[in-house]
PDB file of all heavy atoms in Angstrom:
ATOM      1  N   ASP A 410       3.464  18.646  17.768  1.00  0.00           N
ATOM      2  CA  ASP A 410       2.851  17.351  17.568  1.00  0.00           C
ATOM      3  C   ASP A 410       1.299  17.464  17.418  1.00  0.00           C
ATOM      4  O   ASP A 410       0.645  17.747  18.350  1.00  0.00           O
ATOM      5  CB  ASP A 410       3.158  16.437  18.804  1.00  0.00           C
ATOM      6  CG  ASP A 410       2.578  15.066  18.577  1.00  0.00           C
ATOM      7  OD1 ASP A 410       1.827  14.872  17.635  1.00  0.00           O
ATOM      8  OD2 ASP A 410       3.058  14.127  19.449  1.00  0.00           O
ATOM      9  N   ALA A 411       0.920  17.242  16.327  1.00  0.00           N
ATOM     10  CA  ALA A 411      -0.462  17.519  15.946  1.00  0.00           C
ATOM     11  C   ALA A 411      -1.166  16.254  15.688  1.00  0.00           C
ATOM     12  O   ALA A 411      -1.707  15.914  14.734  1.00  0.00           O
ATOM     13  CB  ALA A 411      -0.608  18.412  14.611  1.00  0.00           C
ATOM     14  N   THR A 412      -1.163  15.356  16.707  1.00  0.00           N
ATOM     15  CA  THR A 412      -1.863  14.083  16.696  1.00  0.00           C
ATOM     16  C   THR A 412      -3.369  14.568  16.468  1.00  0.00           C
ATOM     17  O   THR A 412      -3.925  15.181  17.335  1.00  0.00           O
ATOM     18  CB  THR A 412      -1.612  13.249  17.856  1.00  0.00           C
ATOM     19  OG1 THR A 412      -0.283  13.090  17.914  1.00  0.00           O
ATOM     20  CG2 THR A 412      -2.303  11.939  17.833  1.00  0.00           C
ATOM     21  N   TYR A 413      -3.942  14.139  15.354  1.00  0.00           N
ATOM     22  CA  TYR A 413      -5.273  14.565  15.166  1.00  0.00           C
ATOM     23  C   TYR A 413      -6.375  13.560  15.306  1.00  0.00           C
ATOM     24  O   TYR A 413      -7.498  13.862  15.158  1.00  0.00           O
ATOM     25  CB  TYR A 413      -5.381  15.216  13.775  1.00  0.00           C
ATOM     26  CG  TYR A 413      -4.958  14.265  12.631  1.00  0.00           C
ATOM     27  CD1 TYR A 413      -6.043  13.578  12.028  1.00  0.00           C
ATOM     28  CD2 TYR A 413      -3.687  14.129  12.244  1.00  0.00           C
ATOM     29  CE1 TYR A 413      -5.646  12.620  11.079  1.00  0.00           C
ATOM     30  CE2 TYR A 413      -3.322  13.161  11.331  1.00  0.00           C
ATOM     31  CZ  TYR A 413      -4.435  12.414  10.651  1.00  0.00           C
ATOM     32  OH  TYR A 413      -4.001  11.558   9.799  1.00  0.00           O
ATOM     33  N   HIS A 414      -5.956  12.408  15.613  1.00  0.00           N
ATOM     34  CA  HIS A 414      -6.844  11.300  15.838  1.00  0.00           C
ATOM     35  C   HIS A 414      -7.468  11.439  17.249  1.00  0.00           C
ATOM     36  O   HIS A 414      -6.693  11.113  18.152  1.00  0.00           O
ATOM     37  CB  HIS A 414      -6.261   9.991  15.568  1.00  0.00           C
ATOM     38  CG  HIS A 414      -7.248   8.909  15.344  1.00  0.00           C
ATOM     39  ND1 HIS A 414      -7.101   8.085  14.266  1.00  0.00           N
ATOM     40  CD2 HIS A 414      -8.365   8.506  16.010  1.00  0.00           C
ATOM     41  CE1 HIS A 414      -8.085   7.120  14.313  1.00  0.00           C
ATOM     42  NE2 HIS A 414      -8.945   7.294  15.427  1.00  0.00           N
ATOM     43  N   LYS A 415      -8.747  11.761  17.380  1.00  0.00           N
ATOM     44  CA  LYS A 415      -9.306  11.797  18.746  1.00  0.00           C
ATOM     45  C   LYS A 415      -9.644  10.307  19.252  1.00  0.00           C
ATOM     46  O   LYS A 415     -10.003   9.572  18.439  1.00  0.00           O
ATOM     47  CB  LYS A 415     -10.464  12.681  18.791  1.00  0.00           C
ATOM     48  CG  LYS A 415     -10.138  14.112  18.421  1.00  0.00           C
ATOM     49  CD  LYS A 415     -11.364  15.045  18.679  1.00  0.00           C
ATOM     50  CE  LYS A 415     -11.086  16.408  18.326  1.00  0.00           C
ATOM     51  NZ  LYS A 415     -12.222  17.062  17.707  1.00  0.00           N
ATOM     52  N   GLY A 416      -9.440  10.298  20.518  1.00  0.00           N
ATOM     53  CA  GLY A 416      -9.702   8.828  21.122  1.00  0.00           C
ATOM     54  C   GLY A 416     -10.975   8.264  20.757  1.00  0.00           C
ATOM     55  O   GLY A 416     -11.162   7.032  20.465  1.00  0.00           O
ATOM     56  N   SER A 417     -11.982   9.190  20.715  1.00  0.00           N
ATOM     57  CA  SER A 417     -13.429   8.596  20.426  1.00  0.00           C
ATOM     58  C   SER A 417     -13.659   8.238  18.829  1.00  0.00           C
ATOM     59  O   SER A 417     -14.627   7.611  18.592  1.00  0.00           O
ATOM     60  CB  SER A 417     -14.385   9.650  20.873  1.00  0.00           C
ATOM     61  OG  SER A 417     -14.090  10.911  20.110  1.00  0.00           O
ATOM     62  N   GLU A 418     -12.683   8.596  18.030  1.00  0.00           N
ATOM     63  CA  GLU A 418     -12.857   8.410  16.609  1.00  0.00           C
ATOM     64  C   GLU A 418     -12.456   7.125  16.239  1.00  0.00           C
ATOM     65  O   GLU A 418     -11.317   6.626  16.572  1.00  0.00           O
ATOM     66  CB  GLU A 418     -12.210   9.490  15.780  1.00  0.00           C
ATOM     67  CG  GLU A 418     -12.893  10.740  15.760  1.00  0.00           C
ATOM     68  CD  GLU A 418     -12.065  11.958  15.335  1.00  0.00           C
ATOM     69  OE1 GLU A 418     -10.682  11.832  15.281  1.00  0.00           O
ATOM     70  OE2 GLU A 418     -12.609  12.955  15.146  1.00  0.00           O
ATOM     71  N   ALA A 419     -13.319   6.330  15.574  1.00  0.00           N
ATOM     72  CA  ALA A 419     -13.226   4.857  15.229  1.00  0.00           C
ATOM     73  C   ALA A 419     -12.052   4.690  14.276  1.00  0.00           C
ATOM     74  O   ALA A 419     -11.843   5.615  13.383  1.00  0.00           O
ATOM     75  CB  ALA A 419     -14.411   4.320  14.758  1.00  0.00           C
ATOM     76  N   ASN A 420     -11.173   3.743  14.479  1.00  0.00           N
ATOM     77  CA  ASN A 420     -10.268   3.327  13.422  1.00  0.00           C
ATOM     78  C   ASN A 420     -10.883   2.542  12.338  1.00  0.00           C
ATOM     79  O   ASN A 420     -11.549   1.567  12.481  1.00  0.00           O
ATOM     80  CB  ASN A 420      -9.156   2.379  13.978  1.00  0.00           C
ATOM     81  CG  ASN A 420      -7.994   3.134  14.620  1.00  0.00           C
ATOM     82  OD1 ASN A 420      -7.606   4.221  13.946  1.00  0.00           O
ATOM     83  ND2 ASN A 420      -7.537   2.694  15.691  1.00  0.00           N
ATOM     84  N   VAL A 421     -10.720   3.013  11.148  1.00  0.00           N
ATOM     85  CA  VAL A 421     -11.365   2.316  10.015  1.00  0.00           C
ATOM     86  C   VAL A 421     -10.311   1.653   9.136  1.00  0.00           C
ATOM     87  O   VAL A 421      -9.339   2.293   8.830  1.00  0.00           O
ATOM     88  CB  VAL A 421     -12.100   3.361   9.259  1.00  0.00           C
ATOM     89  CG1 VAL A 421     -12.851   2.628   7.876  1.00  0.00           C
ATOM     90  CG2 VAL A 421     -13.328   3.952   9.949  1.00  0.00           C
ATOM     91  N   ASP A 422     -10.518   0.396   8.911  1.00  0.00           N
ATOM     92  CA  ASP A 422      -9.602  -0.233   8.103  1.00  0.00           C
ATOM     93  C   ASP A 422      -9.610   0.084   6.602  1.00  0.00           C
ATOM     94  O   ASP A 422     -10.703   0.365   6.116  1.00  0.00           O
ATOM     95  CB  ASP A 422      -9.740  -1.717   8.302  1.00  0.00           C
ATOM     96  CG  ASP A 422      -8.652  -2.618   7.508  1.00  0.00           C
ATOM     97  OD1 ASP A 422      -7.489  -2.641   8.137  1.00  0.00           O
ATOM     98  OD2 ASP A 422      -8.790  -2.962   6.373  1.00  0.00           O
ATOM     99  N   ALA A 423      -8.582   0.246   5.898  1.00  0.00           N
ATOM    100  CA  ALA A 423      -8.502   0.597   4.560  1.00  0.00           C
ATOM    101  C   ALA A 423      -9.407   0.009   3.651  1.00  0.00           C
ATOM    102  O   ALA A 423     -10.059   0.523   2.724  1.00  0.00           O
ATOM    103  CB  ALA A 423      -7.071   0.483   3.902  1.00  0.00           C
ATOM    104  N   TYR A 424      -9.603  -1.432   4.050  1.00  0.00           N
ATOM    105  CA  TYR A 424     -10.508  -2.141   3.067  1.00  0.00           C
ATOM    106  C   TYR A 424     -11.928  -1.868   3.224  1.00  0.00           C
ATOM    107  O   TYR A 424     -12.768  -1.915   2.294  1.00  0.00           O
ATOM    108  CB  TYR A 424     -10.336  -3.736   3.284  1.00  0.00           C
ATOM    109  CG  TYR A 424      -9.144  -4.292   2.618  1.00  0.00           C
ATOM    110  CD1 TYR A 424      -7.831  -4.225   3.187  1.00  0.00           C
ATOM    111  CD2 TYR A 424      -9.231  -4.695   1.321  1.00  0.00           C
ATOM    112  CE1 TYR A 424      -6.740  -4.699   2.455  1.00  0.00           C
ATOM    113  CE2 TYR A 424      -8.145  -5.199   0.546  1.00  0.00           C
ATOM    114  CZ  TYR A 424      -6.867  -5.122   1.153  1.00  0.00           C
ATOM    115  OH  TYR A 424      -5.803  -5.736   0.525  1.00  0.00           O
ATOM    116  N   GLU A 425     -12.363  -1.111   4.343  1.00  0.00           N
ATOM    117  CA  GLU A 425     -13.741  -0.916   4.543  1.00  0.00           C
ATOM    118  C   GLU A 425     -14.216   0.137   3.502  1.00  0.00           C
ATOM    119  O   GLU A 425     -15.152  -0.170   2.700  1.00  0.00           O
ATOM    120  CB  GLU A 425     -14.071  -0.390   5.900  1.00  0.00           C
ATOM    121  CG  GLU A 425     -13.727  -1.347   6.960  1.00  0.00           C
ATOM    122  CD  GLU A 425     -13.980  -0.900   8.353  1.00  0.00           C
ATOM    123  OE1 GLU A 425     -14.831  -0.035   8.578  1.00  0.00           O
ATOM    124  OE2 GLU A 425     -13.218  -1.402   9.318  1.00  0.00           O
ATOM    125  N   GLY A 426     -13.480   1.211   3.331  1.00  0.00           N
ATOM    126  CA  GLY A 426     -13.923   2.315   2.509  1.00  0.00           C
ATOM    127  C   GLY A 426     -13.640   1.811   0.942  1.00  0.00           C
ATOM    128  O   GLY A 426     -14.478   2.204   0.105  1.00  0.00           O
ATOM    129  N   LEU A 427     -12.560   1.054   0.643  1.00  0.00           N
ATOM    130  CA  LEU A 427     -12.299   0.602  -0.594  1.00  0.00           C
ATOM    131  C   LEU A 427     -13.506  -0.293  -1.107  1.00  0.00           C
ATOM    132  O   LEU A 427     -13.884  -0.249  -2.240  1.00  0.00           O
ATOM    133  CB  LEU A 427     -11.037   0.043  -0.725  1.00  0.00           C
ATOM    134  CG  LEU A 427      -9.850   0.965  -0.493  1.00  0.00           C
ATOM    135  CD1 LEU A 427      -8.499   0.218  -0.500  1.00  0.00           C
ATOM    136  CD2 LEU A 427      -9.743   2.022  -1.599  1.00  0.00           C
ATOM    137  N   LEU A 428     -13.942  -1.166  -0.191  1.00  0.00           N
ATOM    138  CA  LEU A 428     -14.973  -2.017  -0.595  1.00  0.00           C
ATOM    139  C   LEU A 428     -16.179  -1.229  -0.905  1.00  0.00           C
ATOM    140  O   LEU A 428     -17.121  -1.546  -1.867  1.00  0.00           O
ATOM    141  CB  LEU A 428     -15.271  -3.199   0.484  1.00  0.00           C
ATOM    142  CG  LEU A 428     -14.301  -4.275   0.484  1.00  0.00           C
ATOM    143  CD1 LEU A 428     -14.421  -4.990   1.964  1.00  0.00           C
ATOM    144  CD2 LEU A 428     -14.546  -5.253  -0.492  1.00  0.00           C
ATOM    145  N   LEU A 429     -16.537  -0.371  -0.082  1.00  0.00           N
ATOM    146  CA  LEU A 429     -17.674   0.641  -0.492  1.00  0.00           C
ATOM    147  C   LEU A 429     -17.511   1.318  -1.855  1.00  0.00           C
ATOM    148  O   LEU A 429     -18.517   1.386  -2.620  1.00  0.00           O
ATOM    149  CB  LEU A 429     -17.969   1.562   0.600  1.00  0.00           C
ATOM    150  CG  LEU A 429     -18.458   1.085   2.046  1.00  0.00           C
ATOM    151  CD1 LEU A 429     -18.657   2.176   2.954  1.00  0.00           C
ATOM    152  CD2 LEU A 429     -19.745   0.287   1.902  1.00  0.00           C
ATOM    153  N   ASP A 430     -16.201   1.798  -2.036  1.00  0.00           N
ATOM    154  CA  ASP A 430     -16.050   2.461  -3.374  1.00  0.00           C
ATOM    155  C   ASP A 430     -16.266   1.557  -4.573  1.00  0.00           C
ATOM    156  O   ASP A 430     -16.921   1.982  -5.545  1.00  0.00           O
ATOM    157  CB  ASP A 430     -14.599   2.944  -3.362  1.00  0.00           C
ATOM    158  CG  ASP A 430     -14.431   4.235  -2.451  1.00  0.00           C
ATOM    159  OD1 ASP A 430     -15.398   4.727  -2.022  1.00  0.00           O
ATOM    160  OD2 ASP A 430     -13.259   4.604  -2.255  1.00  0.00           O
ATOM    161  N   VAL A 431     -15.884   0.310  -4.318  1.00  0.00           N
ATOM    162  CA  VAL A 431     -16.106  -0.663  -5.531  1.00  0.00           C
ATOM    163  C   VAL A 431     -17.662  -0.749  -5.781  1.00  0.00           C
ATOM    164  O   VAL A 431     -18.120  -0.699  -6.945  1.00  0.00           O
ATOM    165  CB  VAL A 431     -15.481  -2.042  -5.159  1.00  0.00           C
ATOM    166  CG1 VAL A 431     -15.731  -3.011  -6.422  1.00  0.00           C
ATOM    167  CG2 VAL A 431     -14.097  -1.914  -5.001  1.00  0.00           C
TER     168      VAL A 431
END
Side-chain angles (χ1 to χ4, degrees):
D410 184 346
T412 299
Y413 58 93
H414 195 132
K415 294 188 185 146
S417 56
E418 284 161 348
N420 268 324
V421 176
D422 186 79
Y424 277 91
E425 295 179 33
L427 294 173
L428 282 163
L429 289 181
D430 283 351
V431 178

